[in-house]
Amino acid sequence: MTVTALTTAEDVPAPAPVTMTKALNQALRDSLREDENVLVFGEDVGRLGGVFRVTEGLRKEFGPDRVWDSPLAESGIVGTAIGMAMAGMRPVVEMQFDAYAYPAFEQIVSHVAKMRNRTKGQVSLPLTIRIPYAGDIGGVEHHSDSSEAYWCSTPGLTVITPSNPADAYSLLRESIASDDPVIFMEPKSRYWMKDELSLPVQTAPTDRAQVVRVGSDVTLLAYGPTVRTALAAADDGAEHGLSIEVIDLRSLSPFDDETVSASVRKTSRAAIIHEAAQFGGYGAEVAARVTEANFTHLSAPILRITGFDVPYPSPKLEEYFLPTAERILDALESWDWEL
Amino acid sequence: MTIDVPTSRSDRSLPQLQPVSFIGANGQPTEVPTDGLRIPSDRTLLGLYQKMVQIRRFEAQVTHLTRQGRLATYPSAAGQEAIEVGATTALAPGDWLFPTYRDTAALLTRGVPVTEILSAFRGDWHCGFDPNEYHTSPAATPLATQTLHATGFAMAAKLKGEDACTLTFLGDGASSEGDTHEAFNFASVWQTPTVFVLANNQYAISTPLREQSNATMLADRAAGYGMPGLRVDGNDIAAVFAAVTAALERARAGEGPTLIECLTYRMESHTNSDDPTKYREAEEVEHWKQFDPIDRLEKHLRSAGVLDDERAAEITASAEELATSVRDAMNTEAKVDPSELFDYVYANPRANLVAQQAKLEAELAAAAQS
């Protein structure tokens, strides 16, 4: 992936290992420094620095008027953030865990998504809602949901999910600067991933998917936590002579039809991989729209390798639930490659 | 040995059961303790009276237009004019109002033009006015959600060191929603300059208050959040205006939010879709008629010598003028532009919306040719 420095060469520190958590933290810090209207609040984001330490040190640097711990109430957090955004602020709020965003569902769907539309563009909501999501961290129930389909089927929302530290920094900066509300989904299992990086970085814009591995036989479409899984499948596939292209969608809504279609027309085969349940899931949308645009270029139906259609399981059952590289390769083998 | 309990920010007792009221149903002063509130001047009351008369006429006209099919629906606030007019008039121009679907009279008081207010009910757009121009949020239909917006807006004003307060209306039904609890709590913890005006009109569509809450009175809830609560006679505009004015003064002085329960009665149906005879007795409606907010203020103003027949006739004429303007505006078919479906969803154009917009425009062009 191309990583471009925001500042002049001499300002940029030498690349060093940076975790996604650190990259997100730096994005928040830089946004707070740059624009005094940026506010950070939510449950435990102040003194503790967030349960995943994404907001570590921010309260100390910017004070409790810019970064603070809110009462424990998700609808209250999002609802008050709406009022703040209407007053000209740019709030960045945290939902702490995926399934704990559900009390805020009404505020997000009925107001965050619709305010611009209801007021004929006269009121924007520059509001970023950070949701740590997905599993594979051994969490107990309600701590590992993938709720992207709910947000993606809501017009008015932008839904972003980074898979690596550089994108985490750049996409979060862009989300905070956006005049549209953004659901910013952080893959929990990738928080501790490290990349050699100099911050700040600017990666591709939010509406662009990225080809993260070039291949010619099949396109794997992945996002957030499953990009790693897709890349592992590509490695394994190569050992069996299969050339796998991997695309990191990055932005789930809007969807980058152009990049995806170009890849699918080249490889003629595609599979979408996500942790969320399959039925009515995001993969169904991707499969349908990619098919509609590229039907005559496809040699096989688009596959979905996803979580099963069951509630997210207990930690000891996670490994049977989550899509794996092996499961991806098994699925690819199901195609009749002689066709 | 006892636990060392930290002192709370405010130590407030429960509000008095008898609602604060200055002017009784007969137009004469009441004996009720007024909790340190100041009765507005007769000059102020005359202005409030004129607004209430206009709004009652407006409500009647709009309800009629709904029966004619000109409006999709209309939730009348007839009988509740004192709350809407009294509370909204107390606001400074820079304060922000966060209304609900029943607060048309408040929007009118705020100066929003009739056509822009009724756009939502006529069906040409959700919010027909510019919120920034009138310092008024779009009216919220999902219950109690706007109470949090008002709290957040006030928090931002506080953080920016601005003078603006927020006022939000909610009903007895909305008081059961979780967002009401969260808004009361956030506003009090953050000490935001917010006034919650709870219009307790006895019914949530058809569900009576006794099946909505087991509390003696809804103003009691304020104590649980560490903020002052007050119960006022919602049909006495002097009491509503005085209570809201005092609450706004507190808010502006940095003393945080206030809950004001206004006891009133919804004289009409919830909207034209429900039949109130199914859930309440005619005697009850008749009982409440004797507390009518306009009648009692008229009696008071006449006995105080501030209102005479001539002035009353002028006020009636101004109300008729308003009704005529409403009729004229609503008898003109609203023009809608189908292309606008796509214009205000995102700040930046999106490929899928652009494609869908082009498809709709092609359909319209084809239809125009055939």
Side-chain angles (χ1 to χ4, degrees):
Chain A
M1 177 180 318
T2 319
V3 171
T4 317
L6 285 173
T7 45
T8 54
E10 52 267 33
D11 295 335
V12 179
V18 175
T19 61
M20 182 183 281
T21 305
K22 169 68 187 159
L24 292 165
N25 180 269
Q26 193 61 43
L28 290 168
R29 178 171 278 113
D30 290 350
S31 296
L32 282 157
R33 275 181 191 155
E34 208 165 84
D35 183 351
E36 61 178 16
N37 292 314
V38 174
L39 304 171
V40 171
F41 69 100
E43 295 154 15
D44 309 301
V45 301
R47 292 171 186 82
L48 181 66
V51 291
F52 292 104
R53 305 295 182 269
V54 172
T55 55
E56 185 136 63
L58 300 180
R59 183 179 189 268
K60 197 173 173 194
E61 180 171 347
F62 299 98
D65 282 353
R66 309 255 340 256
V67 180
W68 72 94
D69 295 311
S70 73
L72 202 165
E74 291 76 10
S75 188
I77 292 167
V78 174
T80 54
I82 291 170
M84 289 180 213
M86 288 177 76
M89 308 305 252
R90 304 187 91 85
V92 186
V93 297
E94 181 181 292
M95 293 285 96
Q96 201 160 86
F97 281 95
D98 35 63
Y100 298 139
Y102 300 151
F105 193 82
E106 181 186 27
Q107 288 287 356
I108 296 173
V109 169
S110 295
H111 292 299
V112 172
K114 293 176 181 165
M115 189 64 84
R116 169 178 296 279
N117 188 250
R118 293 168 73 210
T119 61
K120 282 198 172 176
Q122 288 162 134
V123 179
S124 341
L125 291 184
L127 162 61
T128 304
I129 302 173
R130 293 180 39 243
I131 307 179
Y133 82 112
D136 205 13
I137 61 159
V140 296
E141 60 174 345
H142 312 303
H143 286 72
S144 301
D145 280 21
S146 293
S147 53
E148 63 271 23
Y150 305 140
W151 317 124
C152 286
S153 64
T154 304
L157 298 177
T158 297
V159 185
I160 303 294
T161 177
S163 72
N164 60 73
D167 269 350
Y169 178 88
S170 185
L171 293 174
L172 183 54
R173 291 277 279 153
E174 211 181 315
S175 297
I176 296 169
S178 169
D179 283 336
D180 284 320
V182 177
I183 306 293
F184 193 86
M185 306 191 69
E186 299 167 6
K188 291 192 289 283
S189 61
R190 310 303 284 141
Y191 269 142
W192 304 281
M193 170 198 198
K194 280 182 190 165
D195 271 345
E196 290 284 322
L197 202 60
S198 305
L199 294 176
V201 292
Q202 187 175 345
T203 62
T206 50
D207 57 353
R208 305 306 295 179
Q210 291 287 283
V211 177
V212 290
R213 181 184 171 116
V214 175
S216 54
D217 294 334
V218 51
T219 301
L220 294 184
L221 303 169
Y223 55 88
T226 60
V227 172
R228 172 176 55 178
T229 322
L231 287 170
D235 283 346
D236 294 351
E239 287 176 20
H240 298 90
L242 198 57
S243 173
I244 296 178
E245 182 145 303
V246 178
I247 291 185
D248 179 353
L249 295 176
R250 303 165 83 246
S251 169
L252 304 184
S253 175
F255 179 80
D256 181 0
D257 292 283
E258 201 182 322
T259 302
V260 173
S261 284
S263 173
V264 170
R265 287 178 184 215
K266 181 179 76 173
T267 62
S268 86
R269 293 168 193 266
I272 167 95
I273 303 142
H274 60 63
E275 286 191 17
Q278 187 168 97
F279 192 89
Y282 185 71
E285 171 64 27
V286 172
R289 66 187 300 119
V290 175
T291 302
E292 281 170 4
N294 309 288
F295 182 67
T296 57
H297 300 269
L298 288 170
S299 306
I302 295 175
L303 297 176
R304 289 172 289 165
I305 300 101
T306 69
F308 296 124
D309 294 333
V310 300
Y312 195 90
S314 293
K316 288 187 176 159
L317 293 167
E318 270 183 324
E319 61 173 306
Y320 307 103
F321 171 88
L322 290 168
T324 57
E326 193 182 6
R327 208 170 269 169
I328 293 168
L329 289 172
D330 282 352
L332 302 189
E333 277 176 22
S334 75
W335 281 324
D336 183 354
W337 287 87
E338 300 309 313
L339 271 177
Chain B
M1 195 171 103
T2 57
I3 295 168
D4 183 21
V5 181
T7 320
S8 72
R9 183 149 38 197
S10 55
D11 177 23
R12 302 191 187 269
S13 53
L14 294 177
Q16 64 187 37
L17 194 58
Q18 182 66 36
V20 172
S21 172
F22 288 106
I23 302 168
N26 53 5
Q28 300 302 311
T30 64
E31 301 292 315
V32 181
T34 52
D35 216 17
L37 298 177
R38 300 180 302 275
I39 185 167
S41 69
D42 282 343
R43 189 187 148 85
T44 301
L45 289 174
L46 183 64
L48 294 172
Y49 172 77
Q50 173 161 3
K51 279 189 204 164
M52 284 201 293
V53 170
Q54 286 177 332
I55 278 159
R56 169 116 356 138
R57 183 67 189 87
F58 170 89
E59 294 267 351
Q61 184 61 61
V62 174
T63 301
H64 191 66
L65 285 164
T66 309
R67 291 199 183 109
Q68 289 178 336
R70 285 281 173 199
L71 304 176
T73 188
Y74 187 71
S76 168
Q80 301 180 207
E81 293 90 346
I83 301 171
E84 305 245 330
V85 175
T88 312
T89 307
L91 289 169
D95 294 338
W96 268 67
L97 173 71
F98 289 78
T100 77
Y101 55 86
R102 201 182 296 287
D103 302 322
T104 298
L107 298 181
L108 214 53
T109 310
R110 205 75 177 129
V112 185
V114 169
T115 46
E116 296 181 19
I117 293 174
L118 293 177
S119 144
F121 298 118
R122 181 158 65 167
D124 47 285
W125 205 265
H126 304 299
C127 174
F129 59 91
D130 179 357
N132 296 309
E133 187 175 350
Y134 301 100
H135 290 187
T136 299
S137 170
T141 310
L143 289 187
T145 50
Q146 79 287 349
T147 59
L148 283 165
H149 307 168
T151 303
F153 194 101
M155 180 62 169
K158 180 179 164 166
L159 290 170
K160 289 193 278 189
E162 289 173 359
D163 195 32
C165 299
T166 60
L167 183 145
T168 181
F169 289 109
L170 67 155
D172 42 299
S175 78
S176 297
E177 292 276 2
D179 276 2
T180 297
H181 161 77
E182 296 189 19
F184 288 175
N185 190 48
F186 275 64
S188 188
V189 170
W190 293 349
Q191 289 286 286
T192 65
T194 311
V195 183
F196 298 101
V197 177
L198 197 167
N200 177 357
N201 69 12
Q202 316 297 323
Y203 287 90
I205 304 188
S206 64
T207 306
L209 184 62
R210 66 181 176 276
E211 290 174 39
Q212 191 69 241
S213 170
N214 196 35
T216 307
M217 56 177 176
L218 300 174
D220 282 352
R221 297 193 180 175
Y225 299 99
M227 68 173 160
L230 194 65
R231 183 185 233 201
V232 308
D233 181 338
N235 287 10
D236 176 7
I237 199 164
V240 175
F241 182 84
V244 173
T245 299
L248 287 167
E249 280 170 11
R250 282 192 74 251
R252 253 181 264 285
E255 293 170 35
T258 306
L259 169 63
I260 301 170
E261 178 191 4
C262 298
L263 214 56
T264 187
Y265 192 78
R266 193 188 72 218
M267 299 306 292
E268 302 283 336
S269 48
H270 165 66
T271 66
N272 58 325
S273 315
D274 65 307
D275 174 7
T277 63
K278 285 189 172 173
Y279 54 82
R280 62 191 192 187
E281 302 295 331
E283 296 80 56
E284 186 181 279
V285 183
E286 285 305 311
H287 171 76
W288 275 92
K289 275 187 183 163
Q290 61 186 320
F291 302 106
D292 186 275
I294 298 179
D295 290 350
R296 81 162 77 171
L297 186 57
E298 181 169 345
K299 284 175 192 160
H300 168 79
L301 292 172
R302 281 183 184 274
S303 69
V306 184
L307 183 69
D308 56 19
D309 287 346
E310 195 187 341
R311 186 82 186 100
E314 282 170 22
I315 290 172
T316 307
S318 75
E320 276 312 315
E321 264 176 49
L322 177 64
T324 305
S325 77
V326 172
R327 240 182 353 254
D328 291 348
M330 290 301 116
N331 281 332
T332 313
E333 209 48 56
K335 285 198 179 68
V336 292
D337 176 3
S339 207
E340 285 194 331
L341 274 174
F342 304 95
D343 286 347
Y344 313 110
V345 185
Y346 294 98
N348 298 310
R350 273 199 179 186
N352 56 332
L353 273 76
V354 170
Q356 289 169 8
Q357 185 164 18
K359 187 172 185 298
L360 176 62
E361 279 165 4
E363 280 174 18
L364 294 170
Q369 281 189 347
S370 62

